[in-house]
C-alpha cells in the first residue's frame, strides 16, 4: 500500500488503515521516541499515544507544509518531549535505581547513536560543529531554544538563527 492510498484510508477512518499505518511507521517512530524516552515501557506508551494522535488529528495534516513522514516524526518527538516534561514522569524518574542510569550515562553524548535511530547520520556529519551541537540539544535532547541558548552561553536570537540555518543546510543535503 502506498502512502497516498494509506492517507485516503486514514481520512476515511478505515480501521484497516490503522494497522497499515502502524506496520509502516512503528519501528522508525519508536526509534525516535526511544532516543528521548530511555525506559522501554514508557517509550511504548508514548508510541501508542503518538498513533492515537496521528489518527485523531489527521485533518490537521497539510501536505503543502511538508511530508507526512515529517509530520508524524514531529508528533513523535513532541509527544516524547511532553512526556519528559510532565510532572508525573519526572516524579517517577526520581525513584529509579542507579542501574537504570548506566545506559543513560554511557550514551548521553553519543550523537552518532542517536542520529542512526532516524537514519540521517551521514548528513549530520556534514554540518558545522555548531549545527551538530544545536541539533543535538534541540532535537535529540529535547531542549527548548531558551535552554539551548543558556547551555551554549549564546543569545536566544543566535540559537534561533543558527537553528534555522542548520535545518536549511540539512534540507539541502537531503535533497542531493
Amino acid at each position: 500500500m502506498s502512502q497516498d492510498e494509506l492517507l485516503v484510508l486514514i481520512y476515511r477512518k478505515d480501521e484497516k488503515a490503522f494497522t497499515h499505518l502502524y506496520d509502516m511507521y512503528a519501528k522508525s517512530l519508536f526509534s525516535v521516541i526511544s532516543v528521548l524516552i530511555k525506559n522501554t515501557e514508557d517509550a511504548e506508551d508514548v508510541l501508542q499515544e503518538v498513533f492515537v494522535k496521528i489518527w485523531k488529528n489527521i485533518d490537521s495534516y497539510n501536505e503543502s507544509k511538508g511530508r507526512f513522514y515529517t509530520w508524524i516524526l514531529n508528533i513523535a518527538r513532541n509527544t516524547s518531549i511532553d512526556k519528559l516534561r510532565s510532572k508525573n514522569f519526572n516524579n517517577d524518574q526520581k525513584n529509579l535505581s542507579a542501574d537504570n542510569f548506566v545506559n543513560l550515562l554511557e550514551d548521553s553524548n553519543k550523537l552518532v547513536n542517536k542520529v542512526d535511530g532516524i537514519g540521517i547520520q551521514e548528513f549530520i556529519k556534514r554540518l558545522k560543529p555548531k549545527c551538530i551541537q544545536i541539533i543535538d540539544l534541540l532535537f535529540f535532547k529535547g531542549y527548548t531554544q531558551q535552554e539551548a541558548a543558556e547551555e551554549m552561553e549564546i543569545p536566544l536570537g543566535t540559537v534561533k538563527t543558527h537553528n534555522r540555518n542548520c535545518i536549511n543546510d540539512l534540507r539541502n543535503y537531503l535533497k542531493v
Side-chain angles (χ1 to χ4, degrees), residues 149-162:
E150 291 167 6
E151 175 74 20
M152 297 174 69
E153 298 179 350
I154 59 176
L156 176 61
T158 303
V159 168
K160 290 179 178 184
T161 301
H162 283 326

Side-chain angles (χ1 to χ4, degrees), residues 24 52 60 64 89 94 97 102 104 110 141 144 146 149 176:
M24 287 177 74
V52 170
S60 68
S64 68
F89 184 79
K94 290 176 185 174
S97 69
V102 172
L104 218 156
K110 295 181 182 174
K141 292 184 178 171
T144 63
Q146 180 63 46
V176 175

Side-chain angles (χ1 to χ4, degrees), residues 29-47:
L29 292 179
F30 185 76
S31 67
V32 169
I33 292 165
S34 61
V35 165
L36 293 168
I37 309 292
K38 301 299 182 193
N39 178 289
T40 303
E41 287 180 21
D42 289 336
E44 289 170 349
D45 289 344
V46 170
L47 180 65

Side-chain angles (χ1 to χ4, degrees), residues 111 115 120-132 135 166 169-176:
L111 177 62
V115 174
I120 59 170
Q121 178 181 3
E122 293 304 314
F123 299 105
I124 295 284
K125 284 181 181 177
R126 296 181 190 175
L127 295 173
K128 299 171 194 159
K130 249 325 179 218
C131 286
I132 293 171
I135 288 173
C166 295
D169 290 347
L170 190 56
R171 280 187 186 126
N172 289 332
Y173 292 142
L174 292 169
K175 285 179 185 176
V176 175

Side-chain angles (χ1 to χ4, degrees), residues 6-14 21 50-66 68 71-72 75:
L6 176 64
L7 283 171
V8 169
L9 293 175
I10 295 171
Y11 281 119
R12 291 183 191 159
K13 300 297 185 193
D14 184 314
L21 176 69
V50 166
F51 277 103
V52 170
K53 284 182 178 182
I54 293 167
W55 189 257
K56 287 183 175 180
N57 298 314
I58 191 64
D59 292 331
S60 68
Y61 169 63
N62 184 342
E63 193 174 318
S64 68
K65 290 185 178 180
F68 179 70
W71 183 71
I72 65 174
I75 291 173

